[in-house]
Amino acid sequence: MREDFAEFVVARQSQWLRTAHLLSGDRQFAEDIVQQSLEKLYVVWPKVVGVGAPDAYVRKMILNVYLSETRRAWRRRERTSEDVAPAVVQPGSAPLDDRIDLVRALGALPRRQRAALILRFAEDLSVAETAAVMGCAEGTVKAHTAAGIKALRRSMDLHCVGVTE
């Protein structure tokens, strides 16, 4: 059963690290988030596999560890470099500077707005799936998403076509 755990982790670790980095805005903090989540997952692995949907379980663990760690007073005072790892941002049509600006703008959002946007658009979860991960109502996810998009538009001075609030 532990071999299954190792295979599961190897197959998905880079995705989890990307999600944690988008949430935290810091590569080392993201690695800590994933590590803490995997430590907790290892303990309950037989139960998680028995119930099914381990991906959803890990996503929720990552979000919970992130939210828990950012509540700590010493974490709020700690300042890290503004180094943004370009590997976290998927290659696309936007120039690298725009993608880095987007990651920084995401980092300036309140934690739950950032989480809603990342789960909805980077993880491609539905409103219902995002609500389940965040442990809130679907309306709350919609409100956080709309407020987050509005704040991103304002901070980046973007006029996104096809994105509704």
Side-chain angles (χ1 to χ4, degrees):
M1 177 102 20
R2 298 304 177 183
E3 294 82 25
D4 294 342
F5 175 80
E7 289 175 17
F8 179 71
V9 169
V10 168
R12 291 166 177 84
Q13 189 170 9
S14 62
Q15 178 184 352
W16 299 330
L17 187 57
R18 178 177 168 261
T19 299
H21 188 233
L22 286 171
L23 285 168
S24 67
D26 178 83
R27 179 80 176 184
Q28 287 78 28
F29 186 27
E31 290 171 354
D32 291 345
I33 291 168
V34 171
Q35 181 64 38
Q36 287 180 42
S37 299
L38 291 177
E39 289 171 3
K40 293 176 181 185
L41 178 63
Y42 185 81
V43 173
V44 296
W45 179 247
K47 288 183 193 177
V48 171
V49 170
V51 172
D55 286 317
Y57 190 84
V58 173
R59 247 187 245 107
K60 186 165 182 99
M61 289 178 80
I62 288 171
L63 179 62
N64 287 341
V65 169
Y66 163 71
L67 292 173
S68 175
E69 286 296 314
T70 54
R71 285 185 195 111
R72 298 178 193 273
W74 66 268
R75 174 66 72 182
R76 287 190 302 268
R77 287 191 310 266
E78 183 177 329
R79 297 288 179 239
T80 58
S81 71
E82 292 189 354
D83 177 43
V84 177
V88 168
V89 182
Q90 297 299 318
S93 60
L96 181 60
D97 289 343
D98 290 347
R99 288 182 277 152
I100 290 172
D101 289 344
L102 177 60
V103 170
R104 287 189 178 134
L106 276 170
L109 293 176
R111 296 175 314 184
R112 299 206 34 100
Q113 284 180 15
R114 183 178 333 140
L117 289 175
I118 291 166
L119 292 171
R120 289 280 291 124
F121 302 113
E123 290 290 316
D124 200 28
L125 298 182
S126 68
V127 172
E129 292 168 327
T130 302
V133 171
M134 292 180 66
C136 63
E138 290 181 25
T140 304
V141 170
K142 291 176 186 179
H144 284 314
T145 302
I149 289 171
K150 186 175 182 178
L152 285 178
R153 283 182 180 164
R154 198 171 36 250
S155 70
M156 295 184 67
D157 195 33
L158 290 180
H159 299 287
C160 299
V161 177
V163 178
T164 60
E165 291 184 22

